[in-house]
Amino acid sequence: MRSILIAAVVGLLTAMLAAYFLTAPARQGRTATLASPDNAVSGITNATEAWPICSTMAAMVETPDWAALDPDFAAGKRAIGAGDWDGAIKALTNAALRDDRNADIQNYLGYAYRRLRQFDPAMQHYQRALTFNPRHRSAHEHLGEAHLARGDLAKAKEHLAALEQICLVPCDEYDDLKRAIAEYNKLANR
């Protein structure tokens, strides 16, 4: 009886992993360039602009269930998909007024501010997202990337460790932050 139960659990886990890998979006190529090889810190900070911020944000497209969402939240997500950071901040700020404990809204606000290189408000929104949902994978990833952009490798590694605990199976957020840290280390060691 025990071996049947173990076989069923192993089969279920195998099926879940197979489904994950068969349906996962293709990974984007990762490249980074230094702006000035003479200034390592400046080069690392500027090179972070070349990093894909995360693969999960790259897929910001409308889906049929958006009709049920707050119109400002939907507009903010569309603006992020279009790279309109100011428009995203405006729409998502309005959505946050109606839903002031939504970790996703806070994460998207942080993302938009970070893309504008306004790190203080970005980090505040990421922290707020993690206050509302300590297991929010994207907020951990984005906050880790923001720490890298500011040159704080230790803090970025803390968020990578948190993602390692949160992601029970491979997840894009962990992979993206791990890749960003590796790229940061490669640039720092030049």
Side-chain angles (χ1 to χ4, degrees):
M1 182 69 173
R2 178 186 249 171
S3 60
I4 293 172
L5 180 59
I6 291 172
V9 170
V10 169
L12 179 62
L13 288 174
T14 303
M16 288 172 54
L17 285 173
Y20 172 80
F21 286 112
L22 291 174
T23 60
R27 307 265 188 228
Q28 297 176 346
R30 310 288 182 185
T31 59
T33 57
L34 281 173
S36 168
D38 299 333
N39 186 343
V41 174
S42 173
I44 292 169
T45 303
N46 290 335
T48 59
E49 288 302 309
W51 299 339
I53 298 296
C54 73
S55 60
T56 54
M57 293 301 235
M60 297 303 256
V61 296
E62 286 195 54
T63 57
D65 63 332
W66 279 40
L69 294 176
D70 178 296
D72 287 319
F73 185 43
K77 287 178 76 172
R78 275 193 305 275
I80 285 175
D84 176 10
W85 313 123
D86 290 319
I89 290 169
K90 181 179 177 191
L92 291 167
T93 299
N94 288 335
L97 292 173
R98 287 186 292 283
D99 191 356
D100 62 349
R101 297 192 50 83
N102 186 313
D104 290 330
I105 292 173
Q106 295 303 317
N107 180 52
Y108 290 134
L109 276 165
Y111 182 81
Y113 276 112
R114 182 166 55 112
R115 293 304 303 231
L116 290 173
R117 302 196 57 75
Q118 295 179 20
F119 292 107
D120 289 335
M123 292 178 133
Q124 289 171 2
H125 286 287
Y126 290 143
Q127 289 292 353
R128 203 170 298 143
L130 290 173
T131 299
F132 300 148
N133 180 1
R135 297 179 59 83
H136 198 285
R137 295 184 321 215
S138 290
H140 278 290
E141 176 198 348
H142 297 149
L143 189 51
E145 290 168 346
H147 284 299
L148 284 178
R150 291 187 126 182
D152 192 344
L153 179 60
K155 287 284 192 186
K157 285 182 176 181
E158 287 177 19
H159 289 282
L160 183 65
L163 282 168
E164 187 172 22
Q165 296 297 312
I166 293 168
C167 298
L168 300 176
V169 296
C171 67
D172 289 336
E173 294 84 1
Y174 176 84
D175 294 343
D176 290 342
L177 184 54
K178 185 175 181 179
R179 208 171 288 111
I181 288 172
E183 189 65 31
Y184 179 91
N185 285 330
K186 186 177 6 171
L187 294 171
N189 292 327
R190 283 189 169 175

